[in-house]
Amino acid sequence: MLTAERRQFILEILRRDKKVLSSELSAVLKVSEDTIRRDLRELAESGFLQRVHGGALLASPAIASYADRQKQAPKEKEAIARAAAKLICTGQVVILNGGTTTLQVARHLPLDLQATIVTNSPPIAVALAEHPHIQVVMLGGQLYKKALVNVGAATIEALQMIRADLCMLGVCSLHPEVGISVPNLEEAYVKRAMIAGAAEVVGLATAEKLDTAAHYVVESIHALTYLVTAPTVSNEMLTAYKALGLTIIRDESAEINS
């Protein structure tokens, strides 16, 4: 088997099983584990997978630019946003982290809702600027241009002064074993501070974010109270998350034509 064929086979197994083990691939493909590790390293450098101890998991699509991510699964994100917006109640203080899905949540908040939204996302702050009853608290810090969010020590210090009712996280990667992970270290610290400052935490994830991993772990899966995902996500894909005690929310009334 040629190197390209072997790597294509590895990716097919990864997409089917959501993970691969170096030892099993070595036995099936009849090559050394060193060869498999080299294959995994090359595939990881190309953005196809995330290496973990003993093998690999699917890589998150969140490594793309903000503009590109806005084009990914727009109907799913709208369905997630509709369901997530219903969790926000009058009078609450809600942390809304940056992301294309959380931006949709901001756009789907009812015009009669009175609440305070705390965000590190300039696009979300702008989207809520014309809302008649939402008070916006904009977190400062250094702008991480790829994701259009503020990060750094100033962001974390401001979050330490806040005790929110709810935190809504646009999930970059979510895996039952790895937990919540992101491709940027500064984002990981900020999201951890957001979680620590909220009574309940909602993870928002499209199908392509589930069962994936990125370089920096934010928290374990147990940090989430709810997982809001698209109605097209199968019950089978959600089995492991339900087993860990997560409450799954889907807008079953939504129709999504991918």
Side-chain angles (χ1 to χ4, degrees), residues 35-175:
T35 298
I36 295 298
R37 280 192 287 269
R38 185 163 55 251
D39 288 338
L40 296 180
R41 184 166 57 249
E42 293 289 335
L43 290 168
E45 290 173 359
S46 298
F48 290 110
L49 54 81
Q50 175 65 49
R51 296 178 68 199
V52 295
H53 182 72
L57 301 171
L58 287 168
S60 170
I63 58 174
S65 69
Y66 189 89
D68 288 338
R69 285 190 285 125
Q70 283 188 305
K71 302 171 188 175
Q72 294 172 346
K75 295 298 183 182
E76 280 193 54
K77 291 175 182 178
E78 287 181 18
I80 290 169
R82 283 193 294 271
K86 295 173 184 176
L87 296 173
I88 300 176
C89 301
T90 293
Q92 286 189 325
V93 174
V94 180
I95 298 172
L96 205 56
N97 93 291
T100 55
T101 307
T102 46
L103 177 59
Q104 287 298 322
V105 174
R107 289 172 173 168
H108 281 81
L109 294 179
L111 291 179
D112 62 349
L113 177 68
Q114 298 183 26
T116 298
I117 301 295
V118 180
T119 186
N120 65 330
S121 165
I124 288 175
V126 170
L128 292 172
E130 299 301 321
H131 194 290
H133 303 298
I134 295 290
Q135 180 179 355
V136 181
V137 177
M138 184 73 209
L139 299 170
Q142 180 179 358
L143 181 65
Y144 175 37
K145 294 181 180 179
K146 186 174 183 179
L148 291 185
V149 291
N150 292 334
V151 297
T155 317
I156 294 170
E157 184 176 2
L159 283 165
Q160 290 171 343
M161 300 172 63
I162 296 167
R163 289 293 173 264
D165 299 290
L166 203 62
C167 170
M168 286 199 175
L169 295 176
V171 172
C172 295
S173 293
L174 191 65
H175 192 278

Side-chain angles (χ1 to χ4, degrees), residues 5 12 16 20 28 31 36 38 49 58 102 121 131 142 155-157 187 192 194 203 207 211 222 229 249-250 253:
E5 292 175 319
E12 289 173 1
R16 186 192 72 192
V20 291
V28 170
V31 295
I36 295 298
R38 185 163 55 251
L49 54 81
L58 287 168
T102 46
S121 165
H131 194 290
Q142 180 179 358
T155 317
I156 294 170
E157 184 176 2
E187 272 200 285
R192 181 172 290 191
M194 288 177 168
D211 298 336
H222 299 291
T229 190
I249 297 174
R250 288 179 286 184
S253 64

Side-chain angles (χ1 to χ4, degrees), residues 18 57-62 169-182 191 195 201-214 216-224 226-229 237-238 240-242 244 246-248:
K18 308 300 183 184
L57 301 171
L58 287 168
S60 170
L169 295 176
V171 172
C172 295
S173 293
L174 191 65
H175 192 278
E177 297 172 19
V178 177
I180 309 161
S181 57
V182 295
K191 286 193 175 185
I195 289 170
V201 183
V202 183
L204 314 177
T206 55
E208 60 188 359
K209 306 290 183 65
L210 298 175
D211 298 336
T212 69
Y216 302 102
V217 176
V218 178
E219 285 286 2
S220 77
I221 202 84
H222 299 291
L224 296 180
Y226 305 100
L227 171 60
V228 184
T229 190
M237 183 176 283
L238 296 170
Y241 299 97
K242 291 178 180 178
L244 290 167
L246 272 181
T247 299
I248 310 295

